[in-house]
Amino acid sequence: MTITKAPMKLPANLASNPNLSRWAKISADGSIIVRTGKVELGQGAVTALAAIAAAELGVPFHHVRMESGDTTRTPDEAYTAGSFSIEHGGAALRHASALVRSLFAEAAARELGVEPGDITVSDGVFHRPGHNEGRSYADLADKVDLNVDASSLPAPDYLAPPDGDAEITRLDLPQKFSGAAFIQDMNPAGLAHGRVLRPPHPHAKLVFLDRDLIQEMPGVLALVVDGSFVGIAAEREEQAIKAVEVAAKSAQWFIGKQLPPFSVSNDWMADVTPAESSLLLDEAPLEGGEAGQISSVYSRPYIAHGSIGPSSALAHWTDGRLKVWSHSQGVFPLRVDLAKVLGMPVDAIDVIHAHGAGCYGHNAADDVALDAALIARAIDRPVMCQWSRADELSWSPFGAAMRSKLDARVGGDGRIASWTYDVWSPPHVVRPGGATGVNLLAAYHLAEPFEPTPVRSPPQPTGSGDRNAVPIYDLPGRRITHHRLPQGPVRSSALRSLGAHLNVFGIESGMDELAETIGADPLDFRLAHLSDPRARAVLEEAARLANWQSRGAGGEGIGFGLGLARYKSVGGYCAVVAEVEVTEKVRLRAIYAATDCGRVVHTDGVRDQIEGGIVQAASWTLKEAVQWTDEGLTTQGWDTYPILGFAEIPPIHISILNQPDAPPLGAGECAAGPTAAAIGNAIAHALGIRVRNMPLTPERIETAINAS
Amino acid sequence: MSSANLANINLFVNGNMHSIKASPDASLLSVLRHDLGLGGARIGCGLGNCGACTVLVDGRAMQACNTPLWSVGASAVVTLEAHETHAQLQAVRDAFLEEQAAQCGYCINGIMASVAALIMQSPMPTRADIIAVLDERHLCRCGAHPRILRAVDRLLAAQPVSAS
């Protein structure tokens, strides 16, 4: 039954969680529980992980029950982020599952009096060839001890992985389509409702609060005031909301520092000294390159995660221990920061993942967990704390604003001769769980505030603000610099794709601009600088889907544009062609995309992530910007922070280039940069005018036309 | 805790009459979720902008977060939990499951309620009619729109859904 021999070296997430009982529990009642530190965020990861485990255990997909993200029982796989759930989490889970199956096969061999190598498994039953007699997982459950260190076991054999097209359906959807399913829907006995009054401005400090007025309001159970943190617990949800409204009217604040003026191209960054400038590549430019040259500046604003569900957490203190249910991307790192703020040992806190609305990165899920814990500490009841829509869109961490500058030259031979790229950005990874400091909002507002964790910039090739700052193309004379700025006017942290959204937009805009200087076709120009066969394959496939050759000269209001990248330079490949029509607004007529995410575990799961990645990136690129005035943030609701709607969704055509012999790569983020670039290039093709500051709104397009 | 503003209110939900003690100004959503334990209608923005809370009230799609209790009166409220006994909601749900029409699924309750209300109309609305309503009343952040629209197509291609 051997398909391949597993590597001797344990996958990283198994090496750091070597006890097999953290990965699986198999009981005599027949239940097969598979455990993962990765969590379901709506991206389908836990379903795909179940498929990986089921294939390796030799049991039908629907026989495994998943437990995920629970500090009391699952492995600690840090965050569910970075498109690593399948690549890293899946690799570890596959290996752990193979070890579990091997231990059961050995037990079956002893029972049946044969060599382990003679045992085969199918549908969860271990057989010896040619005999009907077998032993199921349940039969053997009390003969196998999974409380064993994986590093002490010989490398197992791997069975065939899921082929991508097996009948796999999302494990979480039936309940989500039936009734209560999300953390917000949890309704334990004695539940109290928590809300926080947040300052009206990023730099506001609380000066006065009429505590008696609030405490006497109907239903109020507790008022927790600590520095500028104001938390309220009430019997009923509407009472908590009302109490916060009254508190907001009575509160007086001192605004200690103004925000820099908002500008469409992030001009405030020019006045900020970088925390660190890293020269990623410093190559000598080639001679020549006089046929064409460009010098362009690109930008994107702060972008909100914009989860449809408000960030929520349920906290309950009992006997000095704290239990928190959270939709965090990392329950173990969250626990570390909670322990620091609450002044208690890490192992006195349990954090358990519960479904939330899609987060697309580090939203307020972690912040609200601390809010809930602080409020619940004041009463002897479970507290569900929930953020308001306005706080969600003004106090969550945002995707960082960015700015980049490209200077490049191309020669008469059609070859790029030099490429100088600088990118400036506040931090993209400011998550909880660091060795020192705390990355939870309320911790900064306490009377004795905590310092943020010092920012460490993940190194290339994955990077953060410099993610995908190194082009996929074969270029000489590259000089690429990442200027990491300190936190800017508002707090930033991880949003799907980190810096890749702007960097790919900038690089791919620049490729079109350079091609234009010498009259080259953008597709041909890219292919002339592209030797990676997998990159060429997705690019040519997207062009074929879009019938690229028919795109014409443009300039008449209808345009086709290309975008290409390999996510993080080592992840999934994606090429996108956007077809747009520009009148008084931008209409997406169609999107064509090709992706290569290595071996596909679940084809519909990959399609889902590429489709969603395209739609979300189109929304960022065309519509979204967090904005502010001297008074504070002005984008506090869906009316002031619009996102792409149902009437704006184009037909999306996707080709998935499966690579059955290559390792699986994540699909969640690879479409973001190429989509932004394709739309920008399509608008430029449609109009003959380029807009380089996202979002590419009708107003900005009109400004660009008037300036031309 | 003061209960001065609470009143005894009868509410007809999912075929059953419920007697509850609540403020007439409380939102229908809060009462469904916290008093009746029906979590299927989600809390989204609380302002009627996102549609996650949509339920059926006398067959019409209503955003429960900004529907005060007093305005509901004797109307029949149907939530996601009643999908098995509501022919149109069940048909919509089947189509959505078949197309795996969700990513996180948070917005889907409301979208299914709105689509169910639309297919209860006669004549049946067109695809464009349905998109217009979804565009006006519902937000999805995951970008599940393409698969949601495939579920709508599947539904429209099926036989007309008979009334319950």
Side-chain angles (χ1 to χ4, degrees), chain A residues 148-424:
Chain A
V148 55
D149 190 312
S151 61
S152 70
L153 300 172
D157 299 327
Y158 281 163
L159 302 183
D163 69 0
D165 295 319
E167 190 54 40
I168 296 171
T169 54
R170 283 274 299 276
L171 298 170
D172 51 325
L173 293 190
Q175 183 55 37
K176 288 174 172 178
F177 286 12
S178 297
F182 294 94
I183 187 166
Q184 293 87 350
D185 311 334
M186 292 177 76
N187 200 8
L191 182 69
H193 296 270
R195 288 292 188 281
V196 176
L197 171 66
R198 288 255 123 84
H201 183 284
H203 300 301
K205 300 236 180 298
L206 184 66
V207 177
F208 172 78
L209 187 70
D210 189 341
R211 299 185 188 208
D212 293 343
L213 177 71
I214 298 162
Q215 272 162 334
E216 285 162 14
M217 289 196 58
V220 169
L221 300 167
L223 170 64
V224 179
V225 182
D226 186 341
S228 293
F229 176 83
V230 180
I232 293 168
E235 196 69 48
R236 295 181 62 89
E237 183 180 34
E238 66 268 20
Q239 292 168 331
I241 293 170
K242 187 76 189 165
V244 168
E245 283 172 15
V246 169
K249 286 190 188 126
S250 98
Q252 291 172 24
W253 306 86
F254 170 71
I255 297 177
K257 194 170 111 185
Q258 290 299 325
L259 298 172
F262 177 83
S263 81
V264 296
S265 50
N266 300 326
D267 294 344
W268 56 267
M269 288 186 185
D271 299 325
V272 179
T273 306
E276 183 182 9
S277 287
S278 317
L279 195 56
L280 310 181
L281 287 168
D282 186 14
E283 300 168 345
L286 294 187
E287 293 299 313
E290 277 88 41
Q293 70 170 46
I294 61 165
S295 180
S296 297
V297 175
Y298 310 96
S299 73
R300 78 157 198 186
Y302 285 101
I303 295 176
H305 296 78
S307 300
I308 297 294
S311 292
S312 303
L314 179 65
H316 193 192
W317 293 77
T318 41
D319 303 327
R321 288 187 63 84
L322 171 64
K323 198 162 185 174
V324 176
W325 286 263
S326 167
H327 52 108
S328 168
Q329 291 181 287
V331 292
F332 287 91
L334 169 58
R335 179 167 77 153
V336 169
D337 273 20
L338 288 175
K340 289 178 211 157
V341 179
L342 300 168
M344 57 200 290
V346 166
D347 59 12
I349 303 175
D350 299 326
V351 184
I352 299 160
H353 183 263
H355 290 306
C359 62
Y360 329 108
H362 178 199
N363 69 354
D366 296 304
D367 294 331
V368 73
L370 176 58
D371 297 343
L374 291 170
I375 296 170
R377 193 162 58 174
I379 60 172
D380 189 21
R381 288 168 59 169
V383 171
M384 176 73 75
C385 188
Q386 201 162 87
W387 278 31
S388 68
R389 177 54 38 192
D391 286 348
E392 196 76 29
L393 286 172
S394 55
W395 277 106
S396 295
F398 297 117
M402 300 176 68
R403 185 175 161 93
S404 69
K405 182 166 188 292
L406 173 62
D407 290 279
R409 288 185 289 107
V410 61
D413 58 355
R415 309 289 305 182
I416 293 170
S418 77
W419 182 281
T420 301
Y421 183 80
D422 289 76
V423 56
W424 293 263

Side-chain angles (χ1 to χ4, degrees), chain A residues 538-607:
Chain A
V538 295
L539 184 59
E540 288 173 333
E541 175 64 5
R544 185 192 66 78
L545 283 175
N547 195 15
W548 177 263
Q549 302 309 333
S550 71
R551 78 173 198 143
E556 305 289 327
I558 291 177
F560 286 74
L562 263 175
L564 166 72
R566 179 178 196 188
Y567 184 53
K568 295 186 287 197
S569 303
V570 291
Y573 296 82
C574 190
V576 175
V577 175
E579 179 183 347
V580 306
E581 181 176 2
V582 188
T583 53
E584 68 279 6
K585 58 182 185 178
V586 178
R587 184 167 81 87
L588 299 174
R589 285 161 57 105
I591 299 280
Y592 310 88
T595 187
D596 167 356
C597 301
R599 174 164 57 74
V600 173
V601 174
H602 181 207
T603 302
D604 192 55
V606 171
R607 183 173 302 279

Side-chain angles (χ1 to χ4, degrees), chain A residues 439-673:
Chain A
N439 287 338
L440 296 172
L441 179 63
Y444 311 141
H445 292 163
L446 299 178
E448 292 181 35
F450 288 78
E451 287 296 313
T453 300
V455 174
R456 281 190 315 112
S457 194
Q460 285 286 321
T462 59
S464 56
D466 55 336
R467 180 160 293 179
N468 281 103
V470 177
I472 194 169
Y473 303 103
D474 314 323
L475 304 179
R478 297 172 299 179
R479 185 181 167 86
I480 299 171
T481 313
H482 173 211
H483 307 276
R484 184 171 62 74
L485 306 180
Q487 282 286 17
V490 294
R491 189 169 57 127
S492 57
S493 190
L495 171 69
R496 194 178 195 175
S497 88
L498 307 190
H501 179 233
L502 179 75
N503 289 322
V504 176
F505 178 83
I507 291 167
E508 291 292 281
S509 296
M511 289 298 283
D512 268 34
E513 292 175 65
L514 282 170
E516 196 182 332
T517 63
I518 57 165
D521 175 82
L523 174 62
D524 296 340
F525 187 68
R526 282 172 173 77
L527 288 170
H529 290 90
L530 190 60
S531 57
D532 182 335
R534 292 170 72 175
R536 291 180 68 92
V538 295
L539 184 59
E540 288 173 333
E541 175 64 5
R544 185 192 66 78
L545 283 175
N547 195 15
W548 177 263
Q549 302 309 333
S550 71
R551 78 173 198 143
E556 305 289 327
I558 291 177
F560 286 74
L562 263 175
L564 166 72
R566 179 178 196 188
Y567 184 53
K568 295 186 287 197
S569 303
V570 291
Y573 296 82
C574 190
V576 175
V577 175
E579 179 183 347
V580 306
E581 181 176 2
V582 188
T583 53
E584 68 279 6
K585 58 182 185 178
V586 178
R587 184 167 81 87
L588 299 174
R589 285 161 57 105
I591 299 280
Y592 310 88
T595 187
D596 167 356
C597 301
R599 174 164 57 74
V600 173
V601 174
H602 181 207
T603 302
D604 192 55
V606 171
R607 183 173 302 279
D608 193 32
Q609 283 304 296
I610 300 296
E611 275 175 356
I614 288 169
V615 171
Q616 191 170 81
S619 184
W620 298 345
T621 302
L622 289 170
K623 306 197 106 146
E624 299 183 29
V626 172
Q627 297 180 51
W628 59 84
T629 65
D630 286 350
E631 309 293 312
L633 274 73
T634 53
T635 42
Q636 302 209 358
W638 293 122
D639 48 346
T640 46
Y641 190 88
I643 62 174
L644 208 66
F646 273 90
E648 299 168 294
I649 306 300
I652 298 175
H653 309 276
I654 296 172
S655 262
I656 299 169
L657 307 184
N658 192 8
Q659 302 281 2
D661 298 324
L665 302 168
E669 299 167 279
C670 64

